[in-house]
Amino acid sequence: MTSALWLTGDAESDQLLSDDPFALLVGMLLDQQYPMEAAFAGPRKIRDRMGTLDPRAIADADPDAFVTMATTPPAIHRYGRSMAGRVQAVARAVVDDYDGDVTRIWTTPGAAGEAPTGAEVLARLEALPGFGTQKAQIFLALLGKQRGVTPAGWREAAGHYGDEGSFRSIADVTSADAMAKVREFKKAQKAAAKQAGTKQAGTKQAAAKA
């Protein structure tokens, strides 16, 4: 049995994420240009306002009404309007491709007719609206590290996000202390990228003057 998640610090929001795999998927979708715990609190806001988090209800909701719901303070995201469209799009994909059951993404047999591999689950996640490779790898790592979903080769498919003992992403957040460690890692990554960009720009300028 998997343990309860700690992703937001709010007991009710975390319980929803623990109980509802679609809520967890939506939280991952919203985890972009927004604090992690705020992104993963988004599914609870949707459920509380709509009275449900059923993928069919979300997919079939009037787009304008859904945007209004999503952008009503406190909004589900900094970019509530665009994210509302993405949430409805991913709900539609879950309904159309997996009969409304998000767990089928990682339980439907693979090409060999057996349990899907980590690479196959990753490919299915990448095919979802709003999910690029990085987001798909992080979600696969989250499933493997905290939800007991461990298809063959999942760590390899998740890349460094699947590394044991790392603090790279939301997949490694199990407490406030772990959240702080992940934030420090992200901060260091951004600083390194900025420094590399500055160095590259300086090299180009020097070459132009030569």
Side-chain angles (χ1 to χ4, degrees), residues 134-145:
Q134 183 182 55
K135 190 179 290 290
Q137 286 183 317
I138 292 172
F139 192 70
L140 179 59
L142 177 57
L143 291 174
K145 291 181 175 182

Side-chain angles (χ1 to χ4, degrees), residues 4 14 100 112 173:
D14 284 333
V173 173

Side-chain angles (χ1 to χ4, degrees), residues 48-174:
D48 288 353
R49 294 170 186 180
M50 291 189 65
T52 181
L53 203 62
D54 179 71
R56 294 183 188 278
I58 292 174
D60 293 339
D62 175 77
D64 291 335
F66 196 79
V67 165
T68 298
M69 177 280 301
T71 56
T72 297
I76 66 169
H77 194 275
R78 177 181 292 119
Y79 305 110
R81 180 173 293 275
S82 61
M83 282 300 180
R86 292 187 184 186
V87 171
Q88 284 199 285
V90 83
R92 174 53 61 195
V94 169
V95 170
D96 291 348
D97 299 337
Y98 301 102
D99 197 29
D101 182 359
V102 72
T103 66
R104 291 189 179 186
I105 294 174
W106 50 89
T107 59
T108 300
E114 301 176 350
T117 64
E120 287 174 321
V121 175
L122 178 66
R124 294 171 185 176
L125 290 169
E126 287 179 309
L128 293 174
F131 276 72
T133 297
Q134 183 182 55
K135 190 179 290 290
Q137 286 183 317
I138 292 172
F139 192 70
L140 179 59
L142 177 57
L143 291 174
K145 291 181 175 182
Q146 299 202 48
R147 306 321 294 153
V149 178
T150 56
W154 71 270
R155 287 190 186 275
E156 293 78 5
H160 287 302
Y161 297 110
D163 291 349
E164 189 172 0
S166 66
F167 291 94
R168 290 175 173 269
S169 72
I170 194 70
D172 305 303
V173 173
T174 55

